Amino acid sequence: MKLLIVSDSHGDNAAVTAAIKAEAPDMLIHLGDLEEDKDELEEAMGVPYKPCIFIKGNCDGYFRPADGLLESSVFELCGHRFFASHGHRQSVSSGFSGLFYTAAENDCDIALFGHIHVPVDEEWEGIRILNPGSISRPRGGSKKSYLILEMDEDGEYTASFKELK
Ligand SMILES: [Mn+2]
C-alpha cells in the first residue's frame, strides 16, 4: 500500500494534485493548512475516491469552511497505528515531546505532523516521528516536499521524502 503524505499546501492545491498524479497513491493524508477546498484533491484521488484523511491546521477555517477536516486522527494500517495531527496543539515548534506523548498515549507507533514546514524523520522510543515538510512553502532551506510510505501487509514499510518536481 502506497501512502502519500503532504502538509501545509496553503492554497496550492495544484502542488498536491501534481504529487497525486506523479505517485498514484492508494491513500492521501493531508496534515493541515490546506487553506483551500479539499474536494479538488479528493477528485484527483479518483472517482470513486480512494481513502483520504484531511487534518485541520491552525490556518484552516478562517477564510474557508473547514468542513470534513479532523482535529487529529488515530488509525491503523498494515499492522501500524498512526497518530496524525497538524501539530500546533502539541506545540511542535518548541519540540516533539507533546506529539510523542500524545502518540504514546494512543498506543501509536507512527506520529505524523506538519506545521513547521521542515521535513522530520526521528525515532523516539519506538515511535517514528515524521513530517513531510511543506509542499508549497518550505522553510529552513528545505525544498517543496512530500512523504511516501510504502507499506506491506506484514508490517514492513519504507519512508521516502520526495521533492516536488
Ligand atoms: Mn502552515
Side-chain angles (χ1 to χ4, degrees), residues 7-10 32-33 35 57-59 86 114-117 134 137 139:
S7 193
D8 295 276
S9 47
H10 288 280
D33 281 0
E35 290 193 288
N58 56 300
C59 296
H86 186 60
H115 191 53
I116 61 172
H117 295 217
S134 170
R137 295 187 194 172
R139 291 181 193 150

Side-chain angles (χ1 to χ4, degrees), residues 8-15 33-36 40 64 136-137:
D8 295 276
S9 47
H10 288 280
D12 194 352
N13 269 0
D33 281 0
L34 285 83
E35 290 193 288
E36 203 24 292
E40 201 181 327
R64 288 177 176 276
S136 77
R137 295 187 194 172

Side-chain angles (χ1 to χ4, degrees), residues 75-118:
F75 54 93
E76 289 185 19
L77 284 174
C78 302
H80 294 273
R81 198 166 154 89
F82 289 76
F83 176 70
S85 167
H86 186 60
H88 58 297
R89 293 189 194 285
Q90 289 80 37
S91 307
V92 291
S93 297
S94 51
F96 308 148
S97 54
L99 181 77
F100 167 78
Y101 285 114
T102 311
E105 280 164 11
N106 285 283
D107 293 320
C108 296
D109 67 311
I110 299 178
L112 305 175
F113 73 110
H115 191 53
I116 61 172
H117 295 217
V118 176

